[in-house]
Amino acid sequence: MRIALLQIPPVANGSREALIELESAAKAAAAQGADILITPEMFLTGYNIGIDKIRLCAEPLTGGMMQDAGEIARQHGIALVTGFAERSGDAIFNTAVFIEPSGKPSAHYRKTHLYGDVDKTQFAPGDQLCRPFPYKGWTIALTICYDIEFPEVARHLAIGGADLILVPTANMKPYDSVATRLVPARAQENTVYVAYANYIGSEPPFDYCGQSCLCGPDGEDIARAGTEAAILYGDVSKQELASLRQTATHLADIQANLYQLRVKETSENEQ
């Protein structure tokens, strides 16, 4: 299966511009035989646009942005992973959606680990990790940006059966090491493929660092972008995955009875 990752600057003029860019990228990726195109975090709205704009552009899953994105997927016969500000009742979530080539969404995920003030002032946290879902013989899961920096997230998804983790992101300088160290580690320690699609350019004060990548289950790069606009392509193989899982047995060798995760409470003397 072929994966395409879109790396471009954030949109400046809202969802209409984003949909034009999405249509162009979907057409190009489909022409290259890609089965899935992944865009950066909150691609349809922009990420660091401020709470007022977020409130104005937020839509439900059944809103116009998702309908238009679904039509793009259907027109070009390619699955899309893209994100937007999702309104649900009084809450707004940072949401990624997997849209089938039929144009219908088959999975969506609300970002659970919120990064800094920009996330915490704009969004409510999701309350559950993605449930891995099937596509073309693969088991896929979604995370968003900061989520993949927590090893527990990728481990949970891998234990749940994920072969491939798709990560729309908006990672900024000076945190290049997320793409160069943490993403390959998440792939290798869980024997899964990880696809990480980032922005370049800026949404002040953030300067995005690119480095979009597809990492194999051995932690090696299959494809990696630099800091220029690109559509990045890479192929994933079930045969290679099965072969590596015969020798890299981390998941099979987990001693779950030894681990208990507990967040330490901070005392007044430590503050």
Side-chain angles (χ1 to χ4, degrees), residues 1 26 35-37 66-82 97-108 133-138 140 142:
M1 187 165 67
D35 298 282
I36 304 172
L37 171 67
M66 282 297 100
Q67 292 182 22
D68 290 341
E71 178 57 24
I72 290 170
R74 189 198 63 76
Q75 180 180 351
H76 296 289
I78 188 171
L80 302 176
V81 177
T82 195
V97 181
F98 188 97
I99 303 172
E100 300 263 2
S102 65
K104 301 296 183 183
S106 60
H108 80 281
F133 58 93
Y135 179 70
K136 288 194 171 184
W138 290 78
I140 296 175
L142 305 175

Side-chain angles (χ1 to χ4, degrees), residues 18 38 48 61 81 85-86 89 94 120 156 164 167 193 211 223 252 255 266-267 270:
I38 309 164
N48 186 33
L61 280 169
V81 177
E86 179 201 353
N94 179 337
K120 294 173 183 177
H156 175 88
L164 170 62
V167 192
Y193 290 94
Q211 294 283 338
Q255 298 294 313
T266 303
S267 70
E270 294 175 308

Side-chain angles (χ1 to χ4, degrees), residues 13-262:
N13 299 305
S15 62
R16 183 167 299 277
E17 178 189 344
L19 288 162
I20 292 170
E21 295 284 1
L22 182 63
E23 199 279 332
S24 176
K27 180 179 180 180
Q32 293 297 317
D35 298 282
I36 304 172
L37 171 67
I38 309 164
T39 68
E41 183 175 3
M42 290 192 65
F43 182 73
L44 295 180
T45 55
Y47 171 59
N48 186 33
I49 62 175
I51 186 60
D52 292 337
K53 287 185 178 179
I54 288 290
R55 287 172 176 157
L56 285 172
C57 70
E59 292 184 354
L61 280 169
T62 55
M65 281 187 287
M66 282 297 100
Q67 292 182 22
D68 290 341
E71 178 57 24
I72 290 170
R74 189 198 63 76
Q75 180 180 351
H76 296 289
I78 188 171
L80 302 176
V81 177
T82 195
F84 74 116
E86 179 201 353
R87 184 180 298 279
S88 179
D90 294 330
I92 297 175
F93 298 95
N94 179 337
T95 294
V97 181
F98 188 97
I99 303 172
E100 300 263 2
S102 65
K104 301 296 183 183
S106 60
H108 80 281
Y109 167 72
R110 296 166 172 170
K111 188 176 185 180
T112 51
H113 297 74
L114 300 184
Y115 174 76
D117 290 342
V118 65
D119 269 349
K120 294 173 183 177
T121 59
Q122 294 185 151
F123 308 112
D127 61 3
Q128 58 184 339
L129 297 178
C130 180
R131 178 177 296 177
F133 58 93
Y135 179 70
K136 288 194 171 184
W138 290 78
T139 302
I140 296 175
L142 305 175
T143 69
I144 299 173
C145 197
Y146 193 40
D147 293 322
I148 201 65
E149 299 179 37
F150 292 82
E152 298 85 2
V153 172
R155 178 55 50 86
H156 175 88
L157 297 175
I159 291 173
D163 304 315
L164 170 62
I165 300 175
L166 308 180
V167 192
T169 190
N171 188 35
M172 69 288 292
K173 300 175 183 178
Y175 305 115
D176 307 60
S177 62
V178 174
T180 59
R181 288 204 296 263
L182 297 188
V183 171
R186 294 297 91 85
Q188 183 173 0
E189 68 197 4
N190 294 294
T191 51
V192 295
Y193 290 94
V194 180
Y196 186 82
N198 196 20
Y199 289 116
I200 56 171
S202 64
E203 284 178 314
F206 297 150
D207 291 317
Y208 297 116
C209 55
Q211 294 283 338
S212 298
C213 57
L214 174 63
C215 294
D218 56 359
E220 296 294 329
D221 286 350
I222 296 170
R224 181 173 294 274
T227 57
E228 303 297 325
I231 303 178
L232 189 67
Y233 298 96
D235 296 326
V236 298
S237 164
K238 288 299 289 287
Q239 182 177 359
E240 178 184 2
L241 180 64
S243 176
L244 279 166
R245 285 178 171 175
Q246 292 297 312
T247 55
T249 57
H250 297 89
L251 295 181
D253 294 338
I254 289 171
Q255 298 294 313
N257 60 302
L258 301 179
Y259 319 132
Q260 184 176 9
L261 295 177
R262 181 180 300 166

